[in-house]
Amino acid sequence: MTRAAPHVTHEVLNQVPPLAGYDVADDPALIDALRREGVGDPAELHELGERAGSAATQDLARLANEHPPVLRTHDSRGNRIDEVEFHPAWHELMAVAVGHGMHAAPWLSADPGEHVARAARFYVWTQAEAGHGCPISMTYASVPALRHAPELASRFGALLGSRSYDPGLRVPDGKAGLLAGMAMTEKQGGSDVRANTTRAVPVGDGYQLTGHKWFCSAPMCDLFLVLAQAPEGLTCFLLPRVLPDGTRNAMRIQRLKDKLGNRSNASSEVEYDAAFAWPVGEPGRGVATIIEMVSATRLDCVIGSAAATRLACVTAAHYAGIRRSFGTTLATHPLMASVLADLALESEAATTVAMRLAGAADRASRGDATEAALLRLALPAAKYWVCKRTPMVTGEALECLGGNGYVEESGMPRLYRDAPLNSVWEGSGNVTALDVLRALARSPGSADTLLAEIDLAAGADRRLDAAAGRLRCALKEAAAADSEGGMGRWAGQSGARRLAGLIALTLQGSLLVRHAPAAVADAFCASRLGTEPAGGPGVPFGTLPDGLDLDPVLGRAAVSVRG
Ligand SMILES: Cc1cc2nc3c(=O)[nH]c(=O)nc-3n(C[C@H](O)[C@H](O)[C@H](O)COP(=O)(O)OP(=O)(O)OC[C@H]3O[C@@H](n4cnc5c(N)ncnc54)[C@H](O)[C@@H]3O)c2cc1C
């Protein structure tokens, strides 16, 4: 019997192949920044970039998010085990991140540039999948806080920096590599950690902690930096999941959060039932101790959001370069070119400021006081601004793919869901903006350091000069308001977001004027450094002024895909 030929209803036309098989590190703003920071041969970074942009890795990312972690509170006989089970794809992603030293490895070396090289790897690899960046980032950030307890730092420091990924709950000293988390937030408040109610009672060479934490991400980490109320006041502790005698510490996982995004990562609610922990830093000085971890994690929030911005922008540019409407590709329609170029500017500015701050962190870690002062003011400002812009960027980039961008297979919904997170944690928007005011009050030299950095581009662009002048007045007014209780646009807490935004934008402008191609710097200053944004306050992307040279701007967002 002859078979009927399959009935052909239609031919698939004008659909864009997924962006896969490309080098994520093919990113001129990133590579230029590495060159400026004196980080050598980027060959390893390009290898990692190829891996991050491969279809195989994209599949791992999909699997890790479609099969989120599962909590196992008890074993089959009713014993508490408090374990979280992950899909193998999660472990593969983690093994790459640890193997490339994206966690605490840079702290093992005193070589200049180690933290910048690590920041670049984190930026590239987090574009593959953002969720697993959480334990990687917390492990990186744990070391400066842990150094307040030199004995614990020498006992665990090398294992936190080990390039062996060794999952599973075992005695930390015997493992090939360790991961660290942090637990500060409680039910009654996360921003105001001084309201923590978890109690710490001295016992033997440590303390017993009793209480709860409302958010404790990556609860399968080996060690946690925890805040609790000791008799001396709020204190930082190091809590091991498994005690030195091999028994499990009394950290009970109550449930996992059902989150908007970040679904591959487990975020839990935990209770401590006389759990054992060692003190870190001076008792009663818990905030001052853990703040070093917070600062390093904030840097990763900026890097992670810059990475998400880059991925959104590159994906939109790739799609619009192939998809056709009304007889030509989307990217050649003038209004779409304006949207894409606007996204590219946002991306270039975010990447450039993130890498500048990574350089400052690198030098500050080796005792450079000027760079530490710059970081103290510029980091909260950039954390506020770059992280706040990311949800808008991903929303706009998603729309460049039309309806396809709204569909899970495009990858854009995951990017969009993940986008607000960096702004929420490690100091939500308001809290981070208020930290800018705190930095001005407590580190008065930081304003002069910031202005000196911005002035390195003085005279090169009149719009930047004008913005720097406005910033100078604003910083003076904010400082005077703090010491004399003055009034004005920049005085007081209600102006904190405005000030943080002005700092971030002016610093970005200065960096781009000095380091980016002229067309990029020109378009950035024209669209972002006026007294008001080009189309009025709060306008969406795609409102660039006329007359700009957009081709070189768009060229920065183009990547080549292997055939
Ligand atoms: C996915 C996820 C994972 C997390 N993982 C961890 C973790 O591992 N460990 C951990 O300790 N925490 C973790 N957190 C918690 C996170 O750090 C807190 O949610 C955050 O610090 C805010 O605290 P909160 O939720 O209690 O909000 P609140 O403190 O109640 O604040 C609510 C809002 O009010 C604003 N606000 C607060 N104070 C002021 C003020 N003085 N002026 C103006 N506005 C103010 C804040 O900016 C925020 O927008 C996680 C959160 C999420 C979403």
Side-chain angles (χ1 to χ4, degrees):
M1 202 171 85
T2 53
R3 270 184 159 198
H7 190 70
V8 177
T9 58
H10 68 289
E11 203 181 335
V12 177
L13 297 171
N14 198 25
Q15 283 285 348
V16 178
L19 176 59
Y22 77 106
D23 174 8
V24 174
D26 177 11
D27 177 339
L30 174 69
I31 299 299
D32 292 351
L34 287 179
R35 201 171 299 124
R36 280 196 300 280
E37 291 290 342
V39 175
D41 182 14
E44 187 201 335
L45 192 66
H46 284 298
E47 229 173 85
L48 186 69
E50 292 284 355
R51 192 161 180 179
S54 70
T57 299
Q58 289 173 354
D59 221 34
L60 291 178
R62 179 184 62 76
L63 288 167
N65 282 276
E66 283 179 4
H67 302 277
V70 176
L71 173 62
R72 308 266 178 233
T73 51
H74 296 80
D75 69 10
S76 59
R77 283 138 293 149
N79 301 302
R80 271 209 89 119
I81 53 170
D82 299 286
E83 290 190 11
V84 178
E85 207 172 78
F86 291 89
H87 190 274
W90 164 271
H91 292 297
E92 276 198 55
L93 293 163
M94 288 290 292
V96 174
V98 171
H100 283 79
M102 285 171 227
H103 59 328
W107 300 109
L108 300 182
S109 161
D111 291 348
E114 283 290 315
H115 292 270
V116 183
R118 177 258 164 205
R121 295 194 295 270
F122 185 72
Y123 171 94
V124 164
W125 188 244
T126 200
Q127 289 182 57
E129 203 281 323
H132 76 292
C134 170
I136 295 299
S137 193
M138 290 196 292
T139 304
Y140 171 66
S142 68
V143 173
L146 198 57
R147 285 179 175 173
H148 287 267
E151 265 181 41
L152 294 173
S154 69
R155 180 169 170 187
F156 297 122
L159 289 174
L160 288 166
S162 153
R163 292 187 182 224
S164 300
Y165 175 56
D166 188 3
L169 296 184
R170 297 193 304 284
V171 178
D173 307 75
K175 292 185 76 175
L178 299 177
L179 295 171
M182 78 163 111
M184 298 192 289
T185 308
E186 297 190 356
K187 293 187 182 81
Q188 70 280 357
S191 309
D192 184 7
V193 290
R194 288 183 195 278
N196 273 193
T197 61
T198 296
R199 298 273 140 205
V201 179
V203 52
D205 66 337
Y207 286 68
Q208 278 182 341
L209 270 51
T210 302
H212 77 283
K213 295 291 164 183
W214 185 231
F215 278 91
C216 174
S217 287
M220 288 303 280
C221 285
D222 302 285
L223 302 167
F224 292 86
L225 283 155
V226 179
L227 286 181
Q229 302 285 0
E232 299 86 348
L234 194 65
T235 301
C236 181
F237 294 94
L238 186 71
L239 184 147
R241 284 275 343 244
V242 178
L243 296 168
D245 67 3
T247 58
R248 293 204 175 167
N249 208 354
M251 171 177 147
R252 314 283 184 227
I253 305 177
Q254 303 300 301
R255 58 175 175 164
L256 298 186
K257 302 279 194 191
D258 183 5
K259 296 173 288 182
L260 165 69
N262 189 251
R263 295 188 71 82
S264 63
N265 181 31
S267 297
S268 65
E269 297 164 17
V270 301
E271 289 190 5
Y272 305 123
D273 184 4
F276 178 81
W278 297 282
V280 177
E282 213 182 306
R285 303 261 308 144
V287 173
T289 305
I290 211 164
I291 204 74
E292 301 216 28
M293 182 169 188
V294 169
S295 173
T297 325
R298 280 185 182 175
L299 176 61
D300 273 6
C301 290
V302 179
I303 298 168
S305 287
T309 297
R310 169 73 183 171
L311 179 59
C313 168
V314 163
T315 308
H318 164 79
Y319 191 93
I322 298 172
R323 176 85 165 179
R324 297 174 70 82
S325 79
F326 301 97
T328 184
T329 58
L330 294 177
T332 49
H333 292 295
L335 191 49
M336 180 57 98
S338 177
V339 171
L340 294 170
D342 217 352
L343 293 174
L345 289 174
E346 197 68 26
S347 171
E348 179 115 9
T351 302
T352 306
V353 79
M355 295 312 291
R356 174 66 186 88
L357 294 179
D362 192 273
R363 288 178 282 279
S365 75
R366 279 176 285 104
D368 186 326
T370 308
E371 290 290 88
L374 176 71
L375 206 58
R376 181 64 193 92
L377 188 54
L379 180 56
K383 198 282 190 182
Y384 160 72
W385 184 255
V386 174
C387 298
K388 273 267 166 269
R389 300 283 284 175
T390 312
M392 293 180 248
V393 168
T394 50
E396 192 67 63
L398 176 158
E399 193 174 320
C400 293
L401 278 65
N404 283 345
Y406 203 72
V407 173
E408 205 64 45
E409 287 165 325
S410 71
M412 297 308 268
R414 193 172 83 228
L415 199 57
Y416 186 67
R417 284 194 299 270
D418 286 349
L421 183 53
N422 282 328
S423 186
V424 173
W425 66 21
E426 295 311 333
S428 306
N430 285 352
V431 170
T432 314
L434 289 171
D435 195 39
V436 167
L437 299 187
R438 197 169 304 115
L440 281 175
R442 297 206 182 150
S443 319
S446 59
D448 288 340
T449 312
L450 172 75
L451 289 168
E453 168 78 16
I454 288 168
D455 281 347
L456 292 173
D461 185 289
R462 66 190 154 69
R463 296 152 301 188
L464 176 62
D465 289 344
R470 284 197 297 279
L471 178 60
R472 190 167 271 108
C473 293
L475 290 169
K476 209 182 274 176
E477 200 179 291
D482 187 62
S483 59
E484 299 153 21
M487 304 280 284
R489 179 172 159 79
W490 304 103
Q493 294 193 4
S494 56
R497 280 187 180 225
R498 284 194 296 270
L499 184 60
L502 183 60
I503 290 173
L505 274 170
T506 314
L507 178 58
Q508 286 180 329
S510 171
L511 291 168
L512 294 184
V513 164
R514 279 179 280 152
H515 306 306
V520 172
D522 180 44
F524 184 88
C525 293
S527 56
R528 279 136 171 98
L529 295 186
T531 43
E532 297 291 356
V539 290
F541 291 96
T543 51
L544 295 176
D546 288 335
L548 296 170
D549 181 11
L550 296 188
D551 283 347
V553 178
L554 290 164
R556 307 285 279 181
V559 291
S560 36
V561 179
R562 283 189 306 278

